[in-house]
Amino acid sequence: MPTSASENESHKAREMAESFGVDAERYDRTRPPYPDAMIDRIVAESPGPDVLDVGCGTGIAARQFQAAGCTVLGVEPDARMAGFARRRGLDVEVATFEAWDPAGRTFDAVVAATAWHWIDPVAGAARAAEVLRPGGRLALFWHVFEPPTVVAEAHAAVYRRVMSGFPSQDRPVKSALDGYRPLFAKAADGIRDAGAFGDVEEWHYDWQRYYTRDEWLDQMPTSGALTRLPPHALPEVLTGVGAAIDAMGGGFTMSYVTVALTATRL
């Protein structure tokens, strides 16, 4: 789940939002792509092929839209991530979306892949409405992942030991999807408040991925909870989680649901 200083103020956590470029190559290598069925549906339900990818990062989703026949422009606040995306063939402008100058350009779709929680939901939706052509589609999507209980418990135990102030697990247990609900509600409210979109739809795509121990430990340092850890602390986190995965036989199956919030520009 996106990690932030406050469940309702993640867009203000700029230090964390712009920390992912510390290892852009690892981020691009280990973060999973998005379901092809979702990409294809966004393209099919947009009036044309011009896509603006907000918070494009290293270009994981942008390259999928390019492969689907779209022309993509990325907007990314982290110059390191933008530089990586450019080297992979993406046109990227470095700016926060709220401050970005569209210079009169308009698009058939505005998308944000695991990025909209770093953007002011009201100002972001208003800016999206400004740059979308009539009938254009706004699509905001996130991966929600649910590891096996033993892996989740290992993460929590190690984080509590290494990271001062990490929340305790005394709170009632809820599913990962339930944990995202406040984020989705805030994003949907921002779209409605813009007054320029039709009804907000929610699309779900369920899938699974098997991770070996090494594959999961390779991805872990790209999470917001770990990108700002002191260098000496990261090995302790990885060792603790790795031991739990070893005890399970060296790998596990992660359950994912990719959720898209989407609406059409009136």
Side-chain angles (χ1 to χ4, degrees):
M1 179 175 180
T3 306
S4 64
S6 166
E7 192 171 59
N8 292 320
E9 300 293 329
S10 57
H11 63 278
K12 296 182 180 179
R14 299 312 313 167
E15 182 182 354
M16 184 178 292
E18 297 173 21
S19 69
F20 299 99
V22 67
D23 192 344
E25 190 279 333
R26 180 195 297 267
Y27 187 100
D28 192 78
R29 182 180 70 245
T30 64
R31 288 292 184 108
Y34 296 86
D36 289 337
M38 183 192 72
I39 300 293
D40 291 343
R41 185 175 179 184
I42 293 170
V43 173
E45 297 194 18
S46 299
D50 295 332
V51 174
L52 179 69
D53 186 355
V54 177
C56 68
T58 60
I60 294 170
R63 296 194 299 271
Q64 292 183 262
F65 281 102
Q66 286 179 325
C70 296
T71 299
V72 184
L73 173 66
V75 177
E76 168 57 44
D78 189 322
R80 299 165 298 183
M81 301 284 266
F84 185 98
R86 287 172 180 148
R87 292 191 294 274
R88 295 293 300 273
L90 184 65
D91 186 12
V92 186
E93 297 179 6
V94 177
T96 62
F97 186 49
E98 299 92 331
W100 172 69
D101 181 8
R105 292 167 292 182
T106 57
F107 301 85
D108 298 303
V110 172
V111 304
T114 315
W116 198 254
H117 51 285
W118 302 121
I119 296 160
D120 183 290
V122 175
R127 175 52 57 87
E130 176 187 344
V131 302
L132 275 169
R133 295 165 186 153
R137 179 158 295 276
L138 175 63
L140 320 174
F141 42 93
W142 293 263
H143 290 317
V144 180
F145 59 90
E146 192 90 63
T149 300
V150 65
V151 176
E153 290 176 347
H155 279 72
V158 173
Y159 285 5
R160 286 197 302 271
R161 185 170 69 247
V162 177
M163 301 162 62
S164 176
F166 188 80
S168 75
Q169 300 302 300
D170 298 333
R171 297 170 298 172
V173 175
K174 56 184 178 180
S175 72
L177 189 57
D178 287 341
Y180 269 76
R181 284 295 168 197
L183 184 156
F184 296 156
K186 193 171 183 66
D189 286 345
I191 296 170
R192 296 185 188 101
D193 289 348
F197 293 95
D199 292 340
V200 179
E201 302 174 33
E202 186 172 310
W203 303 343
H204 285 213
Y205 298 85
D206 296 295
W207 53 284
Q208 293 183 324
R209 174 174 171 175
Y210 181 82
Y211 285 95
T212 66
R213 173 189 184 276
D214 290 345
E215 286 171 341
W216 184 246
L217 297 187
D218 196 22
Q219 181 177 313
M220 278 186 64
T222 72
S223 75
L226 301 183
T227 51
R228 297 173 302 147
L229 269 186
H232 70 273
L234 182 59
E236 184 175 352
V237 172
L238 299 182
T239 297
V241 174
I245 298 173
D246 284 340
M248 297 174 61
F252 66 94
T253 298
M254 182 76 80
S255 296
Y256 282 92
V257 55
T258 300
V259 178
L261 301 180
T262 181
T264 301
R265 176 72 164 91
L266 298 176

